[in-house]
């Protein structure tokens, strides 16, 4: 349910968030009140047990009804990103299985028509002139290859949500390099251990794979300036880093690292085991193929072979490419916690992360998070390669485009396109879309499609 709180305050110690609810009704007509909101929030939180987002929300101690229109969320320790977490889709507080978003949906094949719903039909106060200030959206699912071609042909002005898997498409269309905008996101890009068995049962043999990767060579193969490799789990740019954890093996050359890794592979084979052959689950796009070709060559240099399998098929490793929901060390650690990613996880790291969640002193909390990162890193259940890469195609002259550090790209209101209020803030999507708006009579009988914004949005 959107905009359910009309205002809120945070106590000075950061341990309580007090929300005052607006007047209104749920989509089924039931009045919005504190008991129903608190119950919906408790249900949503309980459904996230055992997930990374559930761990993110672990500092929530209690959800209390204070008055008929006031809900208080009490924390065991400060959680600066609570509002960001409450805005995640999983915490959308559905009511009687009815959607409550601002748009109505009608599907016709691969085209979705989205029409703004008047606020009074969503339990909000009526707005004068609402029908004159909005217009429907038509969303057509298409591949990034088509989106990039349409951009190159001048049919669309913006394509959002590009990933490493799709990055080579930007080059093959011979687009001006100035049109490719990198989004400064944080997150995880690397190999996750799915089966800690056989060769991957031992943390030191898993480390051998991490030692063998030529991160600079892999990143350089994509030819994108500003993208760099990393051996760290947690981005050094998170605000709760104490600076005590650095890159691994900084005093060793690549040849030295590979020599050590090769010794561990030979020791495995000397014990009567065959040459390691690992299955890697990954998309079959051009970017993933290029990345796996580089990784395969790196692993082959120490005597390990890999083969790509489709995602969902039995695999030993998985190529992970995910953007952080919020920019704190806890997000990274929770992604790799034992309840979420049991193969090659660190129980000691989980215990330190849990201790950090309840620690109220900021310096002590940062020290615990650094210890947790070291423990999880030593388990080698995840092999970092680089920070995630997200990119957009933006034509010169487009206004309103703004990369948002850490979590991707969004559009602010675009006055030059006379965009409606539903475009006030759009975050990037993982699917690729062509989006247009029809002005109907304003554009005559042809109903000319506007180039409002266009391809590749995602939450």
């Amino acid at each position: 349910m959107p905009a359910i709180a009309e205002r809120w305050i945070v106590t000075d110690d950061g341990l309580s968030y007090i929300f005052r609810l607006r007047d209104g009704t749920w989509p089924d007509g039931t009045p919005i009140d504190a008991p129903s909101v608190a119950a919906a929030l408790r249900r949503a939180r309980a459904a996230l047990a055992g997930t990374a987002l559930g761990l993110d929300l672990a500092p929530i101690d209690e959800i209390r009804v204070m008055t008929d229109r006031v809900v208080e969320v009490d924390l065991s320790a400060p959680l600066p990103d609570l509002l960001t977490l409450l805005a995640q889709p999983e915490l959308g507080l559905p009511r009687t299985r009815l959607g409550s978003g601002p748009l109505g949906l009608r599907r016709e094949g691969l085209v979705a028509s989205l029409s703004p719903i008047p606020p009074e039909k969503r339990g909000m106060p009526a707005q004068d002139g609402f029908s004159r200030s909005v217009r429907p959206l038509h969303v057509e699912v298409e591949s990034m290859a088509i989106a990039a071609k349409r951009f190159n042909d001048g049919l669309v002005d913006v394509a959002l949500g590009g990933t490493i898997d799709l990055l080579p498409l930007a080059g093959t269309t011979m687009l001006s390099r100035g049109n490719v905008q990198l989004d400064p996101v944080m997150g995880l890009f690397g190999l996750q251990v799915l089966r800690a068995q056989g060769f991957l049962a031992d943390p030191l043999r898993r480390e051998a794979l991490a030692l063998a990767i030529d991160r600079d060579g892999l990143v350089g193969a994509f030819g994108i300036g500003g993208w760099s490799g990393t051996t760290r789990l947690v981005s050094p740019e998170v605000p709760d880093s104490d600076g005590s954890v650095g890159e691994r093996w900084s005093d060793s050359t690549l040849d030295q690292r590979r020599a050590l890794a090769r010794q561990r592979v030979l020791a495995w084979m000397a014990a009567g085991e065959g040459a390691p052959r690992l299955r890697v689950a990954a998309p079959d796009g051009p970017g993933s193929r290029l990345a796996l070709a580089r990784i395969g060559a790196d692993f082959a240099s120490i005597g390990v072979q890999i083969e790509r399998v489709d995602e969902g098929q039995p695999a030993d490793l998985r190529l992970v490419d995910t953007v952080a929901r919020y920019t704190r060390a806890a997000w990274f650690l929770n992604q790799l916690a034992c309840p979420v990613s049991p193969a090659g996880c660190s129980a000691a790291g989980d215990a330190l992360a849990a201790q950090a969640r309840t620690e109220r002193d900021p310096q002590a909390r940062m020290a615990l998070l650094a210890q947790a990162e070291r423990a999880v890193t030593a388990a080698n259940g995840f092999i970092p390669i680089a920070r995630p890469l997200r990119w957009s195609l933006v034509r010169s002259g487009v206004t309103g485009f703004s990369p948002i550090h850490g979590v991707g790209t969004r559009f602010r209101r675009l006055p030059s396109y006379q965009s409606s209020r539903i475009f006030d803030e759009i975050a990037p999507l993982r699917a690729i879309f062509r989006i247009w708006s029809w002005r109907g009579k304003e554009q005559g009988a042809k109903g000319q499609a506007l180039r409002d914004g266009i391809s590749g949005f995602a939450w």
Side-chain angles (χ1 to χ4, degrees):
M1 187 71 182
I4 203 168
E6 63 182 15
R7 60 183 181 271
W8 56 87
I9 61 172
V10 184
T11 56
D12 290 342
D13 59 7
L15 297 177
S16 292
Y17 285 67
I18 301 169
F19 299 90
R20 182 172 179 81
L21 309 179
R22 62 174 171 82
D23 287 326
T25 61
W26 296 96
D28 62 0
T30 304
I32 294 172
D33 58 16
S36 60
V37 169
L41 185 55
R42 293 186 195 108
R43 287 194 300 271
R45 184 188 174 208
L48 295 169
T51 68
L53 182 54
L55 292 174
D56 294 335
L57 296 167
I60 294 179
D61 230 3
E62 189 177 3
I63 301 168
R64 295 194 293 159
V65 174
M66 304 302 291
T67 71
D68 191 54
R69 291 183 59 196
V70 176
V71 172
E72 181 172 343
V73 178
D74 295 329
L75 307 174
S76 58
L79 185 58
D81 297 285
L82 178 63
L83 295 178
T84 298
L85 292 171
L86 292 178
Q88 299 303 309
E90 294 90 335
L91 292 162
L93 305 187
R95 174 79 172 182
T96 61
R97 306 181 69 86
L98 293 177
S100 55
L103 302 174
L105 171 65
R106 180 170 55 85
R107 292 188 179 91
E108 295 180 5
L110 294 178
V111 177
S113 298
L114 304 172
S115 301
I117 301 172
E120 63 271 19
K121 292 187 178 181
R122 295 189 284 119
M124 303 173 71
Q127 297 178 12
D128 293 337
F130 178 83
S131 61
R132 297 190 301 273
S133 64
V134 299
R135 58 184 182 272
L137 287 175
H138 301 276
V139 184
E140 179 184 351
V141 178
E142 59 186 29
S143 69
M144 188 58 173
I146 295 175
K149 182 178 185 304
R150 287 178 173 171
F151 181 93
N152 199 39
D153 292 342
L155 298 177
V156 297
D157 289 334
V158 179
L160 301 180
T163 66
I164 183 177
D165 198 41
L166 305 169
L167 183 59
L169 297 174
T172 56
T173 54
M174 294 181 290
L175 299 165
S176 165
R177 181 56 58 91
N179 288 332
V180 179
Q181 301 287 329
L182 293 186
D183 299 333
V185 298
M186 295 186 194
L188 293 171
F189 179 73
L191 295 171
Q192 177 187 7
V193 175
L194 298 181
R195 295 176 65 253
Q197 302 173 19
F199 180 79
L200 296 177
D202 181 35
L204 291 180
R205 290 196 294 267
R206 297 196 292 266
E207 185 187 44
L209 301 179
L211 287 163
I213 296 176
D214 178 4
R215 291 165 177 80
D216 291 340
L218 188 153
V219 168
F222 286 85
I224 292 292
W227 190 36
S228 59
T230 185
T231 58
R232 282 196 60 182
L233 295 176
V234 177
S235 171
E237 299 172 349
V238 296
D240 51 351
S241 170
D242 67 358
S244 66
V245 180
E247 293 290 333
R248 305 176 77 184
W249 317 302
S250 57
D251 57 348
S252 301
T253 66
L254 178 60
D255 288 341
Q256 290 171 334
R257 299 200 308 266
R258 285 182 172 173
L260 176 59
R262 197 176 299 113
Q263 290 176 12
R264 295 176 184 176
V265 175
L266 291 174
W268 161 262
M269 295 174 64
E273 305 291 347
R277 186 174 183 85
L278 305 174
R279 296 164 297 177
V280 181
D284 194 25
S288 293
R289 290 197 297 270
L290 176 58
L292 284 185
R294 300 288 309 196
I295 293 169
D298 292 343
F299 286 177
S301 71
I302 64 169
V304 176
Q305 301 297 318
I306 65 170
E307 63 172 312
R308 191 201 73 83
V309 298
D310 290 335
E311 292 178 307
Q313 296 298 311
D316 304 293
L317 302 166
R318 180 170 71 91
L319 184 63
V320 172
D321 181 11
T322 186
V323 174
R325 293 178 187 252
Y326 61 99
T327 55
R328 301 275 174 177
W331 180 87
F332 295 85
L333 298 173
N334 291 342
Q335 297 298 304
L336 305 172
C338 292
V340 179
S341 181
C345 69
S346 170
D350 284 2
L352 288 163
Q355 188 178 348
R357 282 194 290 269
T358 61
E359 177 56 62
R360 299 186 181 185
D361 178 75
Q363 295 303 316
R365 183 166 58 251
M366 286 192 292
L368 286 167
L369 289 170
Q371 293 177 48
E373 181 184 355
R374 292 189 188 95
V376 176
T377 298
N380 293 294
F382 182 82
I383 301 170
I385 295 176
R387 69 186 301 164
L389 182 68
R390 295 295 182 268
W391 56 276
S392 306
L393 299 176
V394 184
R395 197 174 306 283
S396 175
V398 167
T399 59
F401 177 86
S402 174
I404 296 182
H405 186 82
V407 293
T409 306
R410 296 189 182 181
F411 262 106
R412 300 302 181 186
R413 193 170 181 85
L414 306 180
S416 64
Y417 287 105
Q418 299 180 350
S419 57
S420 67
R421 62 171 53 92
I422 55 177
F423 274 111
D424 279 350
E425 190 169 287
I426 302 177
L429 284 162
R430 294 178 184 169
I432 300 302
F433 298 108
R434 180 186 181 202
I435 298 183
W436 66 91
S437 299
W438 296 97
R439 288 199 180 179
K441 295 180 180 179
E442 294 179 29
Q443 293 293 339
K446 292 183 179 180
Q448 179 179 350
L450 301 179
R451 295 189 303 184
D452 275 296
I454 354 281
S455 306
F457 297 110
W459 315 132

